[in-house]
Amino acid sequence: MISISETAQGHFVKLLEKQPAGTHIRVFVVNPGTASAECGVSYCPPDSVEDSDIQLPFNGFSAVVDAESQSFLVDAEIDFVTDQMGSQLTLKAPNAKVRKVSDNAPLRERVQYMIDAEINPQLANHGGNVSVVELSEAGVVVLQFGGGCNGCAQVDLTLKEGIEKELLNRFAGELTGVKDITEHQRGEHSYY
């Protein structure tokens, strides 16, 4: 679920030496599954461990994860990086904002997950988003653009050269096409 680099494990061991015996770390997500999801790490004294928590054993300590955060921390990575600017603990949790779906999930769910996890974060930089409206039996995914993408002069390029290529490549043999049903109307909301 969570990988912690050797250097990060060493960092945690040093920090935990100064804490009461039996203290571990807690890895969590605040507002999981939302655009405002934030990941964090804190100390976890023995009396703070809940029955529903899982404990992931590492070298010299455990990482404790609450039940609500578990699926949002799949593929999370914690590292401790030192460079000329100093040292820094980094936590990457690609599924914190969107719950990861199984590789065996229905195609529509896998396509929407890919859009939510990889495409929408890029479109959000311009105030836009896209979602799956329908998936035809012929394998054509129908998309609806919103926010800054609606009426944007670059939406055709974004669809054809970006989203369509990525979806057809990622789901080769399952998707046959991508269609936009958005009635694009330029306005103050549109990204220019």
Side-chain angles (χ1 to χ4, degrees):
M1 171 190 292
I2 299 172
S3 67
I4 301 179
S5 71
E6 293 291 328
T7 54
Q9 287 183 51
H11 177 69
F12 287 133
V13 167
K14 284 180 188 172
L15 291 174
L16 290 168
E17 286 173 353
K18 299 173 182 144
Q19 298 301 311
T23 300
H24 295 287
I25 64 164
R26 178 174 291 282
V27 184
F28 57 90
V29 181
V30 177
N31 299 317
T34 69
S36 60
E38 294 284 332
C39 299
V41 177
S42 66
Y43 292 118
C44 183
D47 61 351
S48 295
V49 178
E50 302 288 330
D51 290 340
S52 58
D53 289 342
I54 61 165
Q55 293 190 42
L56 306 170
F58 288 94
N59 192 11
F61 66 95
S62 290
V64 180
V65 180
D66 65 274
E68 185 181 10
S69 296
Q70 289 175 20
S71 63
F72 296 97
L73 288 171
V74 171
D75 299 330
E77 299 175 5
I78 300 176
D79 197 5
F80 187 70
V81 182
T82 303
D83 59 22
Q84 60 267 41
M85 301 298 284
S87 299
Q88 172 176 302
L89 191 65
T90 62
L91 197 158
K92 295 178 185 170
N95 299 301
K97 295 181 187 318
V98 182
R99 185 184 307 263
K100 184 166 176 134
V101 297
S102 162
D103 291 341
N104 299 326
L107 179 59
R108 180 176 175 154
E109 287 180 31
R110 290 184 284 128
V111 170
Q112 186 64 59
Y113 169 76
M114 188 257 187
I115 287 171
D116 289 340
E118 299 176 32
I119 294 171
N120 277 338
Q122 295 175 42
L123 296 178
N125 292 332
H126 302 139
N129 62 70
V130 66
S131 61
V132 176
V133 174
E134 181 183 342
L135 180 61
S136 76
E137 288 184 26
V140 176
V141 64
V142 180
L143 303 176
Q144 175 85 44
F145 284 89
C149 290
N150 187 346
C152 173
Q154 298 296 314
V155 75
D156 287 337
L157 183 64
T158 299
L159 177 66
K160 292 293 179 194
E161 293 300 317
I163 297 171
E164 183 176 57
K165 275 187 175 179
E166 186 63 32
L167 287 174
L168 293 177
N169 181 47
R170 182 77 56 92
F171 300 101
E174 294 181 277
L175 288 182
T176 59
V178 178
K179 182 179 175 186
D180 175 17
I181 62 161
T182 311
E183 291 184 29
H184 290 280
Q185 297 177 344
R186 262 185 145 9
E188 289 182 23
H189 62 276
S190 301
Y191 182 76
Y192 293 97

